[in-house]
Amino acid sequence: MAASIWLLRTLPRVTLIVDAYNGPPYRGCMTEDRGPTFDGVRIGRPATGALVDAGYRSQADLPEDLEELLALHGVGPRAVRLLDEARRAT
């Protein structure tokens, strides 16, 4: 019989998996916590993660129209507003 692996529970940035035949859970899918700050602007963890995952590394990399970022899962109106305010301040 083939081993079966079940997803037990998903925690922030850690997935616990149970191997049904070999016992206790082990940790998998570990990702780096990038924090709530993107290039000096505190926009929150979900928005920072979404921007980094989309390939943005600094404010200079962001599109001219920041509203385009709303299409990214994790980036909301507040993050866009904060990025816009930071852009205007520089």
Side-chain angles (χ1 to χ4, degrees), residues 13-90:
R13 310 223 185 308
V14 177
T15 302
L16 296 178
I17 300 173
V18 172
D19 182 332
Y21 298 102
N22 294 322
Y26 64 91
R27 291 174 186 247
C29 303
M30 296 290 288
T31 60
E32 177 185 343
D33 180 10
R34 292 167 280 214
T37 305
F38 177 79
D39 197 23
V41 183
R42 192 173 176 86
I43 59 173
R45 277 180 169 59
T48 298
L51 293 177
V52 171
D53 289 345
Y56 300 111
R57 300 291 178 248
S58 69
Q59 291 183 47
D61 296 338
L62 297 175
E64 192 64 36
D65 181 16
L66 293 175
E67 298 290 322
E68 295 174 18
L69 299 175
L70 291 171
L72 299 174
H73 181 76
V75 178
R78 179 180 172 272
V80 169
R81 179 178 48 81
L82 293 171
L83 289 167
D84 187 46
E85 289 172 3
R87 181 181 275 176
R88 291 172 196 248
T90 57

